[in-house]
Amino acid sequence: MYAFDYQKAGSVSDALAALKAEDAQPISGGQTLIPTLKARLAAPSALIDLSGIAEMKGIEVAGGMVKIGGAVTHQSVADHAGVKAAIPALAQLAAHIGDPAVRHKGTIGGSVANNDPSACYPSACLGLGATIHSSAGDMAADEFFQGMFATALDAGQIVTGVSFPIPEKAAYMKFVQPASRFALVGVFVSKGAGGVRVAVTGASESGVFRWTAAEDALAGNFSPDSVPPAPAADGMIGDIHGSPEYRAHLVAVMTKRAVKAC
Amino acid sequence: MTKISMKVNGEAVSGEVEGRTLLVQFLRDHLGLTGTHVGCDTGQCGACVVHVDGESVKACNMLAAAADGAEVMTIEGMAAPDGTLSVIQAAFQEHHGLQCGFCTPGMVMSAADLLNRNANPSEAEVRAYLEGNICRCTGYHNIVKAILAAAATLRGEAVAAE
């Protein structure tokens, strides 16, 4: 790692003030950022630690919504009785990110802000039609995620929380890349007031996306048999773990499994 | 340089670290607690697992300064001061849950974390909980057996000899 200064932020306003310094960068659980720094793929002048900010640590289930603070760890989401009762698919998703030691540190805000093309949480945000709360205001997930590692946030802005509308039913199915436990392909399906949503992670070179052809088909008949044939392989990720065609095929398979599990 | 202090295995310690100093470097190089191992240094193998405020974390994937004020437990804190092994360590010995021993500190700390959360895990739950701990010798079988035996002992059940 290149050298940097480290500062724990006590509040959101503290963090935003500290992030005004040139090349300062936020760190939350650090489970992605620290390996990135070790590989010298980033050289921040300072890391501003958001993980101890009390106002970003709550979980509220009320008024048909589950609101999770940005600094809440995956394990806390997985264990939360209110989340398990309201959106079991979300608790289950959190319970299968990485491994236990990673889940004790990694946070929802970090995952959402990083928007790794294979991360699990972005698919839940998009698949449930969540609202992303940030220091730049509230944004619909549909506008927030803007491609691989890209979001609507600019440097110096942070994700402070996520609100998920409670669906009628939902399920997340992940085909894991066995070494990293990232999603080779993961599909989050929900049916609720906003209709049917199908969000896919791990597959596209443009990051998490909604598979609208499947949404339309499932809106007519919510059954695994309604899932259309695999989407085109164009623009799908191809690497040593799987070809674009393989990933495209998995999108349809995992969507069927998710619908069945709903 | 930042001055940090924390409790490690119940003892108050402090030191001066750079922002980029990892918790595992602080434990091993500053405090001389070399029981916590660095295997992959990429957050995947789990040889560096310690407990921070009661939960397992990968000490190679956490900054030392982030642990300022925390309570840390390492493998050195598991046995009694007179050297009597903890129930989990004794079970690893009894059930031959290690060969080269490099992964063992992390395995024991992850096992302790599991048993803190779940006193009566199934074999499948033990295997799932160890997904972030890699062992290249044992094939995991005896590690799982040791953890199940330790769980039974901690619950006060007699463990059948093999």
Side-chain angles (χ1 to χ4, degrees):
Chain A
M1 284 186 271
Y2 295 108
F4 53 80
D5 293 328
Y6 170 88
Q7 187 186 331
K8 266 186 199 181
S11 66
V12 171
S13 54
D14 251 18
L16 295 176
L19 285 167
K20 288 203 170 91
E22 198 178 343
D23 294 329
Q25 200 180 331
I27 181 168
S28 192
Q31 301 304 286
T32 298
L33 182 53
I34 293 175
T36 306
L37 292 166
K38 285 183 185 179
R40 293 197 161 184
L41 295 172
S45 62
L47 287 186
I48 313 305
D49 190 341
L50 312 179
S51 64
I53 298 178
E55 61 197 289
M56 282 169 51
K57 288 192 134 174
I59 299 180
E60 286 168 41
V61 182
M65 302 290 280
V66 172
K67 184 177 182 186
I68 302 176
V72 173
T73 63
H74 308 323
Q75 193 65 53
S76 302
V77 174
D79 288 344
H80 194 272
V83 178
K84 282 202 252 185
I87 317 180
L90 186 61
Q92 224 208 348
L93 174 151
H96 290 90
I97 297 173
D99 58 58
V102 167
R103 292 193 286 273
H104 290 148
K105 287 295 292 167
T107 67
I108 184 169
S111 171
V112 167
N114 189 49
N115 192 18
D116 186 292
S118 298
C120 296
Y121 265 127
S123 72
C125 296
L126 208 52
L128 286 165
T131 300
I132 315 294
H133 307 293
S134 81
S135 59
D138 292 349
M139 278 171 252
D142 290 292
E143 281 111 59
F144 182 83
F145 299 108
Q146 300 190 344
M148 203 181 261
F149 297 110
T151 72
L153 295 189
D154 291 328
Q157 299 175 335
I158 63 170
V159 172
T160 54
V162 183
S163 287
F164 298 92
I166 298 171
E168 215 178 287
K169 46 190 173 182
Y172 178 63
M173 282 286 148
K174 166 162 82 161
F175 194 96
V176 293
Q177 199 276 85
S180 71
R181 266 89 189 180
F182 269 99
L184 194 62
V185 169
V187 178
F188 199 104
V189 171
S190 80
K191 186 171 189 283
V196 175
R197 295 177 72 102
V198 177
V200 180
T201 187
S204 170
E205 284 182 333
S206 310
V208 67
F209 71 96
R210 281 173 69 186
W211 188 21
T212 48
E215 291 180 354
D216 295 343
L218 289 165
N221 178 18
F222 195 79
S223 136
D225 297 335
S226 307
V227 173
D234 280 356
M236 296 288 176
I237 298 169
D239 58 21
I240 55 165
H241 307 299
S243 64
E245 291 75 15
Y246 182 63
R247 280 187 167 82
H249 176 73
L250 273 181
V251 170
V253 171
M254 300 318 281
T255 304
K256 279 185 194 168
R257 288 186 191 174
V259 172
K260 200 173 169 196
C262 270
Chain B
M1 300 288 273
T2 317
K3 187 168 166 24
I4 58 168
S5 29
M6 64 187 81
K7 266 195 174 172
V8 177
N9 302 327
E11 272 184 53
V13 298
S14 57
E16 294 255 317
V17 296
E18 284 187 271
R20 62 180 167 176
T21 304
L22 296 165
L23 178 58
V24 73
Q25 292 170 321
F26 182 67
L27 294 170
R28 289 178 56 87
D29 304 342
H30 295 235
L31 303 180
L33 296 172
T34 54
T36 302
H37 290 167
V38 179
C40 66
D41 203 18
T42 57
Q44 300 185 66
C45 81
C48 67
V49 169
V50 300
H51 295 186
V52 176
D53 292 330
E55 291 190 318
S56 62
V57 303
K58 290 179 168 172
C60 86
N61 222 4
M62 178 172 184
L63 299 173
D68 185 32
E71 295 214 8
V72 177
M73 164 97 111
T74 70
I75 189 70
E76 286 90 346
M78 291 298 282
D82 69 357
T84 306
L85 295 180
S86 67
V87 168
I88 296 171
Q89 290 171 303
F92 269 68
Q93 189 179 62
E94 171 69 22
H95 293 273
H96 200 65
L98 61 147
Q99 289 180 28
C100 87
F102 194 85
C103 72
T104 312
M107 286 287 178
V108 169
M109 298 313 284
S110 282
D113 184 63
L114 167 65
L115 300 185
N116 284 341
R117 293 173 56 87
N118 180 355
N120 192 8
S122 65
E123 183 188 328
E125 285 170 332
V126 172
R127 288 186 185 276
Y129 213 79
L130 295 180
E131 66 189 351
N133 291 83
I134 295 173
C135 172
R136 291 292 80 136
C137 305
T138 64
Y140 302 96
H141 203 61
N142 286 351
I143 294 174
V144 175
K145 212 188 282 178
I147 295 170
L148 290 169
T153 305
L154 289 166
R155 289 194 306 271
E157 293 167 16
V159 180
E162 288 195 36

